[in-house]
Amino acid sequence: MRALILALCILAIVDSAHFAKAGLSSTPRETLAPAETTIATDEATQETEEQIGLTKAKRRGVQRGLTKLGFKTKVNGKFDESTRAVIARWQEEHGYPTTGFLNAAQHRVLTDAAAEASKSGHQDRRRAGSRTRHSRGVGGPIGAIGGAVHGVVGGVVGGLFRR
């Protein structure tokens, strides 16, 4: 019985080798050009950001949006130095002048992209039947091996109890 379980585990690991590619990507993200060139040349300043009228709740929304788009930042409603650096990285990847401040057009593009990312993530969860499993920080080959072993052992043990 142990040999059978071991063989099934090895088979599952070999079969799920494509999961080993999961993890951090070293390829650059696809950069999107701004919709209008006039928007790209408009430099965002503290003054243009103040004109947007960002409340603390809206600042948290911007921070959540940046995180959804892969630019991790603290969600505290304060645009401190680390948040400004993340905004500058987002601006750089989208072809805007890297000031760390937003103007109205950039704010609109950022919130629209974050909403689209949320919508696609929600659709992915719905397609999975709302049974998404969350890893506990283990990715790459280790996570793939653990997932494969869990699936095989769970299936074998579950099959034994169903009889």
Side-chain angles (χ1 to χ4, degrees), residues 37-114:
T37 56
T38 58
I39 294 172
T41 58
D42 288 345
E43 190 168 297
T45 62
Q46 185 171 1
E47 184 180 325
T48 62
E49 190 171 273
E50 287 172 1
Q51 291 172 354
I52 300 171
L54 296 175
T55 62
K56 190 169 187 174
K58 288 182 182 179
R59 287 176 188 258
R60 281 193 298 261
V62 168
Q63 291 169 328
R64 281 188 202 100
L66 286 164
T67 300
K68 287 176 188 172
L69 295 171
F71 299 91
K72 188 170 167 86
T73 185
K74 284 189 281 184
V75 180
N76 59 8
K78 298 176 186 173
F79 283 0
D80 54 8
E81 287 182 31
S82 64
T83 302
R84 295 282 178 209
V86 171
I87 291 172
R89 279 195 356 252
W90 177 82
Q91 289 171 324
E92 182 179 14
E93 287 202 13
H94 288 81
Y96 297 115
T98 56
T99 62
F101 294 96
L102 296 171
N103 61 24
Q106 293 172 6
H107 180 255
R108 195 174 322 110
V109 169
L110 175 64
T111 54
D112 289 349

Side-chain angles (χ1 to χ4, degrees), residues 8-35:
L8 289 173
C9 288
I10 292 172
L11 181 63
I13 291 169
V14 171
D15 184 48
S16 64
H18 67 278
F19 288 120
K21 293 180 183 176
L24 296 176
S25 174
S26 61
T27 58
R29 289 189 201 110
E30 178 181 320
T31 56
L32 302 173

Side-chain angles (χ1 to χ4, degrees), residues 95-163:
Y96 297 115
T98 56
T99 62
F101 294 96
L102 296 171
N103 61 24
Q106 293 172 6
H107 180 255
R108 195 174 322 110
V109 169
L110 175 64
T111 54
D112 289 349
E116 194 64 34
S118 289
K119 197 182 306 181
S120 67
H122 178 69
Q123 290 172 349
D124 291 345
R125 286 190 298 276
R126 288 189 65 189
R127 275 189 228 114
S130 296
R131 295 184 196 170
T132 57
R133 295 181 186 218
H134 301 284
S135 69
R136 301 202 182 260
V138 180
I142 302 297
I145 292 169
V149 170
H150 174 74
V152 170
V153 172
V156 170
V157 172
L160 290 174
F161 288 110
R162 280 187 220 118
R163 293 179 186 197

